[in-house]
C-alpha cells in the first residue's frame, strides 16, 4: 500500500513537470524530480534503564524497517541519548547528547565516516550536550547546552565558526542567512529567549517576553513570521504539572498562543501539525493552516502516546512516531523501555497508509531525500 502510494505521487509530480517542459520544447527531455527513498527514525533509548540510543531505517523500495540499523552497520551502539539527525547531501548526521558526539555516516550504508567530538571541537564547557542540527551552504550547524551553535565544514569537519546563543539552546533553523535559536533555559523560566543571529555579521537580536518560557522548536514562514513550540513550565512534585505549553506565534514583539497544551509539532510549507501529549491527559492532534490562520482538530487512529511528527516534503504524507502503552499494578503508562512504532497518514490524518516498528524512545523523524530521472 505504501509503495503504491509513493509511486503514484512520484508519477504525478513527474507528469506535472513534463507538461511544463512540453510547453517550452518540441521534444520531451528527461527530467530529474525529487523523491523520498525512505525515512530514518532516531531513538533516544532510555539512559536510566541503560538502553542505548538507536536508529531505525524504513526503506520505501522494500517496505521493510530495520530496527537497530546503526548498530547493524557499524557493530557499535549509538550511545547515550541520541536526539536529532539531519540528511545533508550524501551523508546523515546523528546528534548524540550523552556522548558529546555528532556521528557522520554514509546515507546509504550507514557506516561511520567520522565521529565529531563536540567537546574537542568547542571545549569542554561550550561543547557539552549537542542538541539539534541544521545545515546550509556546505556547513552543518548544531546547538549545545554549553550555550553555543557551531558551524562545521562538511568536507573536512573542521570548525568554521561558533556563535554564542542563549541559555540551554535547543531547536535551530536558518532562513535567509538568519540563524534562529530556541533558548530553553532548561525549563527554569528565567532566561528563556529566541536568538536571531545574522550569519554574515554575527550580530544577535534577542527576543524575550512573558510567553517565551521554555522554547524547543522554531519555525519561520516565508514572510518572516516566527512560530515556536514552547514546553512551558512544570509545577511542584509529585505531579510536575506542565503549564502554558503550546504553539505560539511571535509578531510585533508579542507572542500569541495559537494552540494550548501542544507538546510536539511537525512543519510543512503552509501548515503546522501539532499534538498534545500532556502526562495523564487525553492525546489530541491539530492542524494549523498558515494561510487562513485557522486551527483544525484531527483524529488519527492508532496513536497511543505520540513522540514525534514530521511531514514528507515530497508526498505530503504525515509520519507520527509513538510509544506503546503498557499496564502494570500502578496503572497504564507509555512504555519508555520498549520499542516504538510509526504510523503514516494522509494529509488530513484520516487515512493510515502503513505502520512499522522503530527502536526505543523515538524522538526524531528524518527523510531520506533524493532524485529520480523521469523520461
Amino acid at each position: 500500500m505504501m509503495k503504491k502510494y509513493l509511486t503514484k505521487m512520484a508519477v504525478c509530480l513527474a507528469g506535472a513537470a513534463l507538461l511544463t517542459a512540453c510547453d517550452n520544447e518540441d521534444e520531451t527531455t528527461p527530467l530529474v524530480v525529487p523523491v523520498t527513498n525512505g525515512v530514518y527514525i532516531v531513538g533516544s533509548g532510555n539512559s536510566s534503564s541503560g538502553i542505548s540510543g538507536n536508529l531505525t531505517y524504513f526503506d520505501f523500495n522494500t517496505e521493510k524497517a530495520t530496527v537497530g540499523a546503526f548498530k547493524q552497520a557499524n557493530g557499535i551502539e549509538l550511545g547515550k541519548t541520541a536526539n536529532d539527525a539531519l540528511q545533508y547531501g550524501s551523508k546523515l548526521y546523528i546528534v548524540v547528547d550523552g556522548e558529546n558526539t555528532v556521528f557522520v555516516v554514509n546515507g546509504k550504508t550507514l557506516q561511520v565516516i567520522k565521529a565529531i567530538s563536540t567537546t574537542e571541537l568547542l571545549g569542554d564547557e561550550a561543547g557539552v550536550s549537542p542538541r539539534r542540527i541544521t545545515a546550509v551552504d556546505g556547513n552543518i550547524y548544531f546547538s549545545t547546552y554549553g550555550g553555543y551553535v557551531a558551524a562545521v565544514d562538511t568536507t573536512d569537519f573542521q570548525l568554521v565558526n561558533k556563535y554564542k546563543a542563549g541559555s540551554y539552546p535547543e531547536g535551530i533553523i536558518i532562513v535567509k542567512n538568519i540563524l534562529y535559536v530556541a533558548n530553553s533555559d532548561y525549563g527554569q523560566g528565567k532566561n528563556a529567549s529566541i536568538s536571531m543571529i545574522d550569519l554574515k555579521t554575527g550580530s544577535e537580536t534577542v527576543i524575550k517576553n512573558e510567553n517565551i518560557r521554555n522554547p524547543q522548536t522554531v519555525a519561520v514562514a516565508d514572510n518572516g513570521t516566527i512560530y515556536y513550540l514552547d514546553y512551558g513550565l512544570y509545577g511542584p512534585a509529585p505531579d510536575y504539572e506542565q503549564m502554558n505549553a503550546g504553539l505560539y506565534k511571535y509578531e510585533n514583539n508579542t507572542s500569541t498562543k495559537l494552540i494550548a497544551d501542544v507538546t510536539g509539532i511537525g512543519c510543512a510549507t503552509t501548515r503546522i501539525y501539532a499534538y498534545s501529549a500532556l502526562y495523564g491527559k487525553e492525546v489530541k492532534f491539530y492542524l494549523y493552516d498558515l494561510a487562513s490562520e485557522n486551527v483544525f482538530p484531527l483524529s488519527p487512529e492508532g496513536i497511543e502516546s505520540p513522540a514525534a511528527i514530521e511531514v514528507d516534503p515530497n508526498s505530503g504524507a504525515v509520519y507520527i512516531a509513538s510509544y506503546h502503552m503498557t499496564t502494570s499494578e500502578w496503572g497504564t503508562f507509555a512504555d519508555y523501555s520498549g520499542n516504538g512504532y510509526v504510523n503514516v497518514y494522509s494529509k488530513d490524518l484520516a487515512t493510515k497508509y502503513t505502520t512499522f516498528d522503530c527502536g526505543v524512545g523515538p524522538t526524531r523523524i528524518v527523510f531520506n531525500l533524493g532524485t529520480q530521472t523521469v523520461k
Side-chain angles (χ1 to χ4, degrees):
M1 178 68 179
M2 184 65 181
K3 189 174 182 180
K4 290 180 180 178
Y5 170 76
L6 293 169
T7 300
K8 181 179 179 181
M9 288 301 298
V11 170
C12 288
L13 287 168
L18 283 170
L19 287 173
T20 302
C22 289
D23 288 340
N24 301 314
E25 300 180 16
D26 293 333
E27 296 183 4
T28 300
T29 57
L31 292 174
V32 177
V33 298
V35 295
T36 306
N37 298 311
V39 60
Y40 309 97
I41 311 298
V42 179
S44 61
N46 186 325
S47 59
S48 63
S49 298
I51 300 174
S52 173
N54 57 82
L55 185 73
T56 297
Y57 183 64
F58 181 78
D59 190 311
F60 285 2
N61 289 321
T62 63
E63 299 186 55
K64 293 182 179 179
T66 302
V67 179
F70 179 88
K71 183 177 181 180
Q72 179 175 305
N74 296 284
I76 59 173
E77 301 277 9
L78 263 179
K80 184 179 178 181
T81 316
N83 55 287
D84 201 8
L86 169 77
Q87 184 213 35
Y88 189 58
S90 62
K91 303 181 185 75
L92 181 71
Y93 300 83
I94 309 171
V95 181
V96 188
D97 172 290
E99 305 297 332
N100 297 325
T101 298
V102 176
F103 284 104
V104 185
V105 305
N106 181 296
K108 292 183 178 179
T109 67
L110 298 183
Q111 293 180 333
V112 174
I113 299 170
K114 174 77 173 180
I116 301 172
S117 169
T118 60
T119 49
E120 288 182 7
L121 197 71
L122 296 171
D124 289 344
E125 292 186 6
V128 69
S129 295
R131 299 299 296 171
R132 303 295 175 187
I133 189 168
T134 190
V136 70
D137 296 336
N139 295 329
I140 58 167
Y141 294 75
F142 60 84
S143 59
T144 72
Y145 268 173
Y148 284 85
V149 175
V152 177
D153 185 273
T154 57
T155 302
D156 59 15
F157 310 117
Q158 296 299 305
L159 183 67
V160 175
N161 210 336
K162 66 177 181 179
Y163 304 89
K164 187 72 177 74
S167 177
Y168 291 92
E170 288 279 1
I172 56 177
I173 187 173
I174 297 172
V175 179
K176 297 178 180 179
N177 284 311
I178 301 298
L179 169 66
Y180 297 82
V181 187
N183 301 305
S184 71
D185 196 33
Y186 207 61
Q188 299 171 98
K190 297 178 181 179
N191 296 306
S193 66
I194 295 174
S195 294
M196 297 173 58
I197 301 171
D198 189 317
L199 294 179
K200 291 184 176 180
T201 66
S203 62
E204 179 189 24
T205 300
V206 179
I207 300 171
K208 286 187 175 184
N209 62 46
E210 69 280 1
N211 286 326
I212 300 178
R213 302 175 178 89
N214 187 4
Q216 297 290 316
T217 304
V218 185
V220 181
D222 291 341
N223 63 3
T225 302
I226 298 172
Y227 299 86
Y228 65 94
L229 170 68
D230 199 296
Y231 276 0
L233 304 179
Y234 296 87
D239 296 330
Y240 299 105
E241 181 182 4
Q242 194 170 352
M243 300 170 291
N244 297 116
L247 174 64
Y248 289 80
K249 175 182 179 180
Y250 177 82
E251 197 171 37
N252 299 322
N253 297 320
T254 302
S255 293
T256 304
K257 186 183 289 186
L258 303 176
I259 312 175
D261 299 332
V262 169
T263 56
I265 63 172
C267 303
T269 305
T270 60
R271 58 197 190 279
I272 298 175
Y273 292 90
Y275 62 79
S276 174
L278 297 178
Y279 181 75
K281 302 291 181 64
E282 178 186 1
V283 173
K284 297 180 180 180
F285 289 85
Y286 305 92
L287 169 62
Y288 177 75
D289 181 79
L290 272 65
S292 67
E293 298 188 333
N294 289 326
V295 178
F296 303 94
L298 302 174
S299 301
E301 294 185 359
I303 296 296
E304 298 167 84
S305 180
I309 185 169
E310 290 294 345
V311 184
D312 183 336
N314 291 318
S315 70
V318 183
Y319 288 65
I320 304 175
S322 176
Y323 295 99
H324 288 286
M325 300 299 287
T326 184
T327 301
S328 71
E329 58 184 302
W330 296 284
T332 300
F333 308 95
D335 184 3
Y336 296 117
S337 296
N339 283 352
Y341 63 96
V342 178
N343 285 353
V344 186
Y345 297 91
S346 57
K347 291 182 180 180
D348 58 4
L349 304 191
T351 302
K352 185 174 73 171
Y353 295 128
T354 193
T355 299
F356 59 89
D357 293 332
C358 64
V360 177
T363 189
R364 186 75 169 90
I365 300 169
V366 179
F367 296 98
N368 180 7
L369 305 176
T371 58
Q372 177 178 316
T373 300
V374 180
K375 297 181 179 180

